[in-house]
Amino acid sequence: MGDSVAGILRKTWGFTLPEVAAVVAITGTLAAVVVPVAIDQIENGRIAGAKQNVNSISSAIQDFFRDTGEWPDRGAPDKPDLAYVLRSGKFNARSEAGFTLFGTPTPGNVKDPEPGSTNWASLIGSEPFRVHALVNHLTTDGAPDIFPNRYRDASVNWNGPYLPQVFNDPWGRNYLVFSKAFTVPKVTAGNIFGWVISGGPNKTLETDATSPILNNNLATGLSTSGDDVGVLVFQAREAIPGVSK
C-alpha cells in the first residue's frame, strides 16, 4: 500500500531532476542539428527565388527587344539611350530615379546593393535620370506623369507589359540592370556586359559592371568567390583574354 501511494505521489510531483536534464540535453542536441539545416534551407530558397527573378527580368528584356528592336534604355521619347542602370522597387514617378544610385532610399523604397570594389560605383553621377525605374520600361511605357509613351511611337512597337511586377530581391535590396551595356561599346578600358543582378545574401556586388563572369574572377575565368545572383542579358561578341566565349 505504501509503495502504491509513493508511486502516485511521485507521478503527481512530475519529472525528477535527472529526467529534466536528459530532456534538455536531447532538445539542445536536436536544436544544434536542426536549426542550421533549417537556416540553410531558407537561404537556399532565397537564392533559388533570386535566380528565378533575374531570369524573369532577363526574359522580359529580351521579349522587349524582339518587339521594339531596341533595348530598354530610353531616357525620354526624344532622348534615347540615356539610362545607365534600371532597378526594381517602387519609385516616385515625378522623380523617376527615386534616389541616386547606391544612395539613401526615398520613402517606400529599399536600398540598392552595396557597390563593393567594382565599377558599379563609377556610375554614380549628377544626372538623376541615369537611373530608371525598371517598371517604367517593362511594365508601363514610360512614367505616366512625366514620360508617357516613352517607346510607343511610329517606329517602335512597345507591346507590354513584359513583366507584370518587378520585385525586390529576397534580401530586401533592388535588382539592378546594367543598361549602359546595351548601347555604349566601351566603358573604362574593357568591353561591357549587360547584367541583371542581385547582391545576394551579403547585399554587396562582387561582380564588376565590366565583367563577363558572375562574381568577377577574371584571373581564372571561373566564379569561385562572392555570392551575387545574376544573369547576362547582353554579351559582347569579342573574346576576352583569359576567358572562354
Side-chain angles (χ1 to χ4, degrees):
M1 182 68 175
D3 290 342
S4 299
V5 172
I8 292 171
L9 290 174
R10 184 165 58 250
K11 290 179 182 177
T12 303
W13 293 341
F15 295 107
T16 64
L17 183 59
E19 289 172 335
V20 172
V23 170
V24 170
I26 293 170
T27 302
T29 301
L30 290 174
V33 174
V34 172
V35 171
V37 172
I39 291 173
D40 285 345
Q41 290 301 314
I42 291 171
E43 198 61 43
N44 288 339
R46 288 174 175 169
I47 292 171
K51 288 180 179 178
Q52 183 176 4
N53 287 344
V54 295
N55 283 320
S56 295
I57 294 170
S58 174
S59 295
I61 290 172
Q62 293 175 56
D63 290 342
F64 178 104
F65 182 81
R66 280 192 290 269
D67 278 356
T68 66
E70 61 181 70
W71 298 102
D73 58 0
R74 281 195 186 186
D78 59 341
K79 295 180 181 178
D81 311 335
L82 190 62
Y84 282 4
V85 176
L86 307 178
R87 63 178 164 202
S88 60
K90 298 178 180 180
F91 299 92
N92 178 356
R94 177 52 61 185
S95 175
E96 185 182 5
F99 53 97
T100 58
L101 188 62
F102 309 122
T104 301
T106 53
N109 294 304
V110 301
K111 292 185 68 175
D112 297 323
E114 300 300 324
S117 300
T118 66
N119 270 325
W120 288 91
S122 68
L123 300 174
I124 303 172
S126 59
E127 299 177 73
F129 289 105
R130 293 294 189 186
V131 187
H132 285 196
L134 194 58
V135 293
N136 289 336
H137 295 257
L138 298 182
T139 306
T140 62
D141 181 11
D145 62 346
I146 50 174
F147 291 140
N149 299 324
R150 188 192 303 269
Y151 296 99
R152 193 177 299 165
D153 55 30
S155 62
V156 177
N157 181 35
W158 190 94
N159 194 31
Y162 298 95
L163 201 62
Q165 283 184 292
V166 183
F167 297 100
N168 300 316
D169 76 16
W171 301 278
R173 298 297 176 99
N174 289 315
Y175 290 105
L176 301 183
V177 177
F178 186 40
S179 58
K180 185 176 183 179
F182 299 148
T183 54
V184 182
K186 301 283 183 180
V187 62
T188 64
N191 295 294
I192 61 176
F193 303 85
W195 284 103
V196 180
I197 199 164
S198 159
N202 71 357
K203 306 176 184 178
T204 301
L205 295 170
E206 283 91 17
T207 304
D208 199 290
T210 63
S211 172
I213 292 177
L214 194 64
N215 297 323
N216 201 41
N217 190 341
L218 294 178
T220 62
L222 300 174
S223 175
T224 58
S225 62
D227 60 8
D228 293 351
V229 180
V231 62
L232 275 173
V233 180
F234 175 92
Q235 185 167 355
R237 296 183 181 275
E238 297 86 354
I240 306 299
V243 180
S244 59
K245 292 184 180 179

